[in-house]
Amino acid sequence: MGGLIQTFFITWVLFCSINISFSRFGAQAASINPNYKEALAKSLLFFQGQRSGRLPPSQQITWRSHSGLSDGRLANVDLSGGYYDAGDNVKFNLPMAFTTTMLSWSTLEYGKRLGPQLPNARAAIRWATDYLLKCATATPGKIYVGVGDPNADHRCWERPEDMDTVRSVYSVSPSNPGSDVAGEMAAALAAASLVFRSSDRQYAGLLLRTARKVLQFALQYRGAYSELNRFGSTFNYFQDELLWGAAWLFRATNEVQYYNIIKSLGADDQPDLFSWDNKYSGAHVLLSRVSTQDNYSVLEFGWLFP
């Protein structure tokens, strides 16, 4: 699952690099530094290469074509779309949702400096959230969290357009919980709702409403998807995903109910890294920004920062 996430982190570094080079050094830096604009454009283009589903006419990587159009058929639902994971033909919602959350955060932080790449960043986010919305709403009381048999797929060297491996469908439910993957999906949907709030309020509203329901599911039916399935699941249990999801809903709504959820969850793990599998550090940074931007005192979150 490294490819999709690694490319996101390259893209995030480029977001930051563009911000630093043009805000701090101005035009002079552009003449002596690497071409970050071109690198950013190509990093965002990578996500088009990872697309699953029916590709739009605007698709720039023309050697890719429609694929995975029957995804979800084994469960009688439409789960086409989303992104393939790394060099595989499987779709894992946990790393895909984390990538979406972070692309959204990067766009919120640096969107004003992206220039012509802002529509491409939004398109990359929306390709994922359209799929995540399907996963969260296709069947009441169930959230779909993956497509494709990982064992069979890892032995398959076919391109997605030609794959003939079984397209198994994985889901979580009250009797088969997955607070880790559901918490991350809630974070992705909430973060993306902020990206589209100014450009497509109807879509942003749908994302936020769905994020609320998915987080409620994650909180009400607690358990780790990783206990049942090691592929596309967390090795760090699920407390950080609940904190992360609640933090993004707090950021998106400023509602006290999410502040109370965050406080009830606490922060039992000392933040020492930030990755798709451990979100404590990211949640701490996000909450520190919420406290300074939205009239919450940093002191109110003192319990989060030992």
Side-chain angles (χ1 to χ4, degrees), residues 209-288:
R209 290 192 300 274
T210 307
R212 290 178 185 271
K213 295 176 181 178
V214 173
L215 182 65
Q216 180 58 40
F217 181 96
L219 290 164
Q220 185 172 350
Y221 306 109
R222 298 195 188 191
Y225 183 60
S226 56
E227 293 177 346
L228 300 170
N229 189 320
R230 296 309 304 180
F231 290 98
S233 58
T234 178
F235 294 85
N236 196 44
Y237 216 53
F238 59 81
Q239 197 77 357
D240 57 321
E241 277 85 14
L242 292 180
L243 182 66
W244 181 237
W248 272 108
L249 272 159
F250 185 45
R251 175 69 180 85
T253 66
N254 209 32
E255 293 178 2
V256 69
Q257 63 170 314
Y258 295 112
Y259 167 79
N260 291 333
I261 290 172
I262 293 166
K263 198 166 184 178
S264 70
L265 290 170
D268 298 328
D269 193 11
Q270 293 294 322
D272 56 356
L273 57 88
F274 183 45
S275 74
W276 69 273
D277 189 37
N278 190 325
K279 283 76 175 221
Y280 282 115
S281 295
H284 287 202
V285 172
L286 178 63
L287 289 170
S288 71

Side-chain angles (χ1 to χ4, degrees), residues 106-125:
S106 301
T107 302
L108 291 170
E109 293 285 339
Y110 304 113
K112 292 181 180 179
R113 295 184 175 274
L114 291 183
Q117 292 305 320
L118 180 57
N120 292 329
R122 286 175 175 161
I125 294 166

Side-chain angles (χ1 to χ4, degrees), residues 7-306:
T7 299
F8 152 69
F9 274 113
I10 293 171
T11 307
W12 194 22
V13 168
L14 289 167
F15 273 101
C16 299
S17 299
I18 289 172
N19 184 59
I20 292 171
S21 63
F22 286 93
S23 64
R24 185 177 178 185
F25 301 107
Q28 182 181 2
S31 64
I32 60 176
N33 284 346
N35 191 336
Y36 289 120
K37 287 186 177 181
E38 181 181 3
L40 176 63
K42 290 180 177 177
S43 294
L44 288 170
L45 191 62
F46 168 86
F47 290 94
Q48 290 196 20
Q50 295 294 108
R51 283 175 171 173
S52 177
R54 185 172 296 279
L55 303 185
S58 59
Q59 173 79 10
Q60 294 175 268
I61 299 182
T62 55
W63 48 264
R64 284 297 321 279
S65 187
H66 311 314
S67 62
L69 299 182
S70 63
D71 282 359
R73 183 175 296 173
L74 292 179
N76 297 313
V77 293
D78 174 18
L79 297 180
S80 60
Y83 291 112
Y84 294 116
D85 190 84
D88 304 316
N89 296 336
V90 292
K91 297 189 291 194
F92 294 137
N93 284 24
L94 181 68
M96 189 195 307
F98 174 71
T99 300
T100 307
T101 306
M102 296 307 298
L103 278 173
S104 295
W105 197 359
S106 301
T107 302
L108 291 170
E109 293 285 339
Y110 304 113
K112 292 181 180 179
R113 295 184 175 274
L114 291 183
Q117 292 305 320
L118 180 57
N120 292 329
R122 286 175 175 161
I125 294 166
R126 189 160 186 157
W127 193 267
T129 53
D130 282 351
Y131 166 76
L132 294 176
L133 285 170
K134 291 181 180 181
C135 293
T137 62
T139 303
K142 182 178 290 187
I143 298 175
Y144 295 97
V145 298
V147 179
D149 184 318
N151 292 304
D153 185 82
H154 287 170
R155 295 191 296 269
C156 171
W157 291 90
E158 296 172 315
R159 64 180 191 146
E161 291 83 353
D162 301 325
M163 63 181 170
D164 53 8
T165 53
V166 63
R167 302 300 287 168
S168 304
V169 177
Y170 301 91
S171 63
V172 296
S173 63
S175 60
N176 178 34
S179 297
D180 40 11
V181 62
E184 184 59 64
M185 287 175 62
L189 295 168
S193 75
L194 292 169
V195 172
F196 293 102
R197 184 169 288 178
S198 61
S199 60
D200 191 338
R201 293 189 66 86
Q202 183 175 359
Y203 187 64
L206 174 61
L207 292 170
L208 186 57
R209 290 192 300 274
T210 307
R212 290 178 185 271
K213 295 176 181 178
V214 173
L215 182 65
Q216 180 58 40
F217 181 96
L219 290 164
Q220 185 172 350
Y221 306 109
R222 298 195 188 191
Y225 183 60
S226 56
E227 293 177 346
L228 300 170
N229 189 320
R230 296 309 304 180
F231 290 98
S233 58
T234 178
F235 294 85
N236 196 44
Y237 216 53
F238 59 81
Q239 197 77 357
D240 57 321
E241 277 85 14
L242 292 180
L243 182 66
W244 181 237
W248 272 108
L249 272 159
F250 185 45
R251 175 69 180 85
T253 66
N254 209 32
E255 293 178 2
V256 69
Q257 63 170 314
Y258 295 112
Y259 167 79
N260 291 333
I261 290 172
I262 293 166
K263 198 166 184 178
S264 70
L265 290 170
D268 298 328
D269 193 11
Q270 293 294 322
D272 56 356
L273 57 88
F274 183 45
S275 74
W276 69 273
D277 189 37
N278 190 325
K279 283 76 175 221
Y280 282 115
S281 295
H284 287 202
V285 172
L286 178 63
L287 289 170
S288 71
R289 294 183 66 79
V290 169
S291 69
T292 56
Q293 293 177 353
D294 296 319
N295 300 319
Y296 282 88
S297 169
V298 175
L299 295 176
E300 293 185 65
F301 291 95
W303 52 273
L304 262 176
F305 309 103

